[in-house]
Structure formats: C-alpha cells, structure tokens
Amino acid sequence: MCPGGTPRAAAAAPPEPRVTKQRVAVGDALDTLNDFVTTQELHRLMADDGASVSLATTYRILQSLADDGLVDVLRNGDGEAIYRRCSVSAHHHHLLCRNCGKAVEIEAPAVEAWAAKTAATHGFTSVNHTVEIFGICPECSAASQPATQP
Amino acid sequence: MCPGGTPRAAAAAPPEPRVTKQRVAVGDALDTLNDFVTTQELHRLMADDGASVSLATTYRILQSLADDGLVDVLRNGDGEAIYRRCSVSAHHHHLLCRNCGKAVEIEAPAVEAWAAKTAATHGFTSVNHTVEIFGICPECSAASQPATQP
DNA sequence: CGTTAGGATGAGAAGCATTATCAACAAGCT
DNA sequence: AGCTTGTTGATAATGCTTCTCATCCTAACG
Ligand SMILES: [Zn+2]
Ligand SMILES: [Zn+2]
Ligand SMILES: [Zn+2]
Ligand SMILES: [Zn+2]
C-alpha cells in the first residue's frame, strides 16, 4: 500500500507556493489596480511604491498566479502578456481600454454556447477560445476631445 | 494650379508597393497554404521551396500585407503574430487547430452585434474585437489516439 | 530603349521582452 | 534553533523583431 511515498500526497500533490514578502507585494499591487498591466509595468509600479521585487521574480510570480488561475492573462495588441486579478473565478471575458488598460468583466453565455457549438460542428476537440473587446473608454475619449463637436 | 505637386496624388495618395519577386514569392507561398503561419515559418517554407527571400524582408512584406488588410493576422498562444491569406475580404473570425494551424473561417453576425452592443453599453468607442476559437482538428485528434480507448 | 529617382532588399547589428543560471537566502517544519 | 528545500536577485543568455545602410531593381520618363 502506497509504496515509497510520503504519508500524504497520494499521487502528485502540487506543492503550494510559499508566502514570501515578494508574493505578498505582488498580490497587494494587483489589488490596488483594476487595469490590465504588463509584468514590467507592475514591476515599475511596485518600485515606485517602495516595494522591492526584482523583475525576474515579478515575471515568475505573475506566471505562477496565472497558472493557478488566480489572475486573468491575455495579450495586448503587441502580443505582450497583460495581467489582472480576477474578481470572479468563473470563466468570463473583457471589454478593455486600449489607452489606459481599464477593464470591464463580461459574461456572455450566448457566446460561450456559440463557440462550443461551432467547434463541435467542425469536429474540433480540446477547445478554448478568446473573446476580447478593445476600445477607448469614456474617460479617455473625453480627455482627448475636450469640447469640440462638429 | 497644383503648385509644386505631381499631376496625380491630390492630397496623400499612399504609394503602391512595387511588384518585386520577393513580394510575388510571399504571395505564392501564402496561396499554397490554408494554415496560419508565423513569419519565420513562412520564411523557412519559402527557403525549402527554393525561393530566396531574406527573413527581414519576409517580416516587412507580411506586415505590409497585413496593414493593407490583404492577409489575416492574429496571435497564437505565445503572442506571436500568425498570418494567413483571407479568402473573404469581409470581417470574420477563425476556428483553428493549435497543433497544425489549419483554420476554418467563421462568420457570426450575432457575435458581431453582441460585441458592438456590449461596447456601446459601456460607452466605449473606436471598438474592435478578437474572437478566435482554438482546438485540435479531427485529423490531429485521430493521429494522436489511433485505436486505444480506455 | 537608355536614364534616372527612389522604393525595396539583404546582411548584420541593435533593441527588447522573456527565460535560464546559480549562489545566497529564508519559509516552514521538527 | 537547526535543517530542508522552495525562492529570490543579479546577470547572462535566448530568441523574436526591428533598424541601419549600402546596394539593387522597379517604375516612370525622355
Ligand atoms: Zn481608458
Ligand atoms: Zn468564453
Ligand atoms: Zn490540426
Ligand atoms: Zn467580428
């Protein structure tokens, strides 16, 4: 019975990440934001805030959080990964400002069903999808066009 | 009358790209494919096919084609740009195999309407969107699981 | 058909984001 | 407190993409 194994962890218990001050700092920084940011942007924000976390570690922690589904990851127009803490753990999508990064979380059951049906129709398996809407948010539009109105 | 200007090109006529053998080679290579490919993949394919186009030029031409809307561009899971010749010029999306790159073009008016409405509801302007479905195509599924069925 | 101006190309350097290394460190456990 | 092992930081390395610039070639013109 259970040959050569530690008492717990029957098969392959994934070890939980340790609670380090760097990990806490990243978590706190994410909590103060409701915008999507790149790893480098978050690193700079933390540095400006006094928290000292190396860039390499910021990359590592964000990737780890993403792997565990604790943050949302998607790609900006340049193909760079951008991160944001999920407010809901369920599957959802985003409407985000390509100028300031502000994001609105969106749920669209109809789109989910459409995607699943479309994939099934063509015999595709192991399906996932990306559905993101990019635009300029009201604040950014207002800022760029103060008063003129043709 | 038209001081200091060439006869044509009243305001800012965008100069058409010249027809070079490199541009033709890229066009031909794209025509032989119905899969999405990265710039480097296309460069290798052309090299294998005898066509000699430098990597830098391949980058330039694909970007140019994309800017003119002559090829579809999207991002794979790694954030790399992947290209494919549009069979339809109208706006559409794709269902593509993340293993072999094969793509099916999809039109979904309902999704278009949903995206526009969602953006408008939140006051976003200059809106565009990405809607892509990734999966494993029937051929690739069959290849990876020949006969076993637990 | 020869000339010519300027866009296009190739080869390599440069830029940049991301990842890999590895010694030093510290979180968690006994 | 002491030990074990996951984490961190500084830096090198990797690899994709862009830039530079001398040369080449297309397109237009005489
Ligand atoms: Zn905004
Ligand atoms: Zn979805
Ligand atoms: Zn396939
Ligand atoms: Zn669409």
Side-chain angles (χ1 to χ4, degrees), chain B residues 91-93 106 108 111-113 115 128-131:
Chain B
H91 175 87
H92 61 274
H93 299 284
I106 294 174
V111 174
E112 308 301 332
N128 60 17
H129 58 259
T130 66
V131 174

Side-chain angles (χ1 to χ4, degrees), chain B residues 10-125:
Chain B
E16 319 255 322
R18 293 182 178 175
V19 178
T20 64
K21 66 181 176 189
Q22 289 85 353
R23 211 158 250 265
V24 172
V26 169
D28 288 348
L30 287 172
D31 284 337
T32 67
L33 294 171
N34 60 342
D35 305 347
F36 274 90
V37 291
T38 65
T39 303
Q40 308 223 11
E41 285 170 349
L42 189 67
H43 175 249
R44 171 161 314 206
L45 287 172
M46 289 190 295
D48 293 346
D49 217 35
S52 176
V53 179
S54 76
L55 181 58
T57 297
T58 307
Y59 272 103
R60 281 188 288 239
I61 292 176
L62 283 175
Q63 279 179 339
S64 170
L65 291 174
D67 289 343
D68 295 345
L70 298 174
V71 297
D72 278 1
V73 197
L74 53 89
R75 303 269 176 179
N76 65 13
D78 296 325
E80 297 174 325
I82 52 181
Y83 301 88
R84 180 182 192 248
R85 171 145 289 170
C86 303
S87 70
V88 299
S89 57
H91 175 87
H92 61 274
H93 299 284
H94 303 89
L95 164 62
L96 68 140
C97 177
R98 75 168 70 89
N99 182 240
C100 69
K102 181 164 73 178
V104 179
E105 301 191 357
I106 294 174
E107 296 182 54
V111 174
E112 308 301 332
W114 166 81
K117 180 181 154 198
T118 300
T121 298
H122 292 270
F124 277 57
T125 54

Side-chain angles (χ1 to χ4, degrees), chain A residues 18-19 40 56 59-60 63 80-81:
Chain A
R18 292 182 180 174
V19 178
Q40 308 222 13
Y59 272 103
R60 282 188 288 239
Q63 279 179 339
E80 299 173 326

